[in-house]
Amino acid sequence: MQAGEKVFATVGFNQATIVELADAAQIGKGTFYLYFDSKDHLLGALWERYVDTIVTTTQNILGEGSAWWPTIDRLLTALIHHAVRNAELHRIVYGSANAKALAICKQANQRVIDLICAFVTQGTQAGAFQATDPSTAFRMIYHAADGLLDDLISTGNDIDADQVIAMVLELTHRALGAPNASRLPRPLHAGGGEPHQGDDLEDLEKRSPRERK
């Protein structure tokens, strides 16, 4: 599938042929059809893999039972890095106007939003988040970040992921009502991990979901 993505990025989805896709994968045209009905099918498979990672990443990080604020920071950081790493795939899918692929993305986004809204609602009940309506606040955060990334990706220019993360985390901490919101965390590394030393974790962490049991 990676070979197919490279062909789409090089010659464009509409111009790509089955022969070019098969050659890039070093397989015969007939073998290609054993796996995919068409190039639309291949593009859909690439996109499904991308959106599946969004959902599984969200489930995995939320399921770790870490403290509230580091969890939300790490999750948003991971999702933004994932989007930036797959910027070219975004451009291919949106450029192809593949209705099925766009519907898959919408469904995945809604699943992720629901998972994180449940998390921030629990965190508010535990006293970690201070927003009056945490679910609506997070929906605003997610759609703002998603819209910003879509806009940046559509330009075709390189994206400074750390800058985007810093802005999204600032919005998140202000919208969800972090204690000492003026002292915001710096972006985490691409692989996740705890915030850098010097961040005011004592005030931000509160109790983790696991500690409440």
Side-chain angles (χ1 to χ4, degrees), residues 47-69:
W47 191 246
E48 284 188 40
R49 183 178 66 178
Y50 167 77
V51 297
D52 284 348
T53 300
I54 295 174
V55 176
T56 56
T57 296
T58 300
Q59 292 172 327
N60 290 340
I61 292 179
L62 294 182
E64 290 174 357
S66 299
W68 297 105
W69 277 109

Side-chain angles (χ1 to χ4, degrees), residues 124-156:
T124 300
Q125 293 169 352
F129 308 125
Q130 307 299 321
T132 302
D133 186 343
S135 180
T136 299
F138 183 77
R139 290 177 189 279
M140 176 192 70
I141 294 163
Y142 191 93
H143 288 299
D146 187 54
L148 173 61
L149 285 166
D150 283 347
D151 185 57
L152 294 174
I153 288 170
S154 70
T155 67

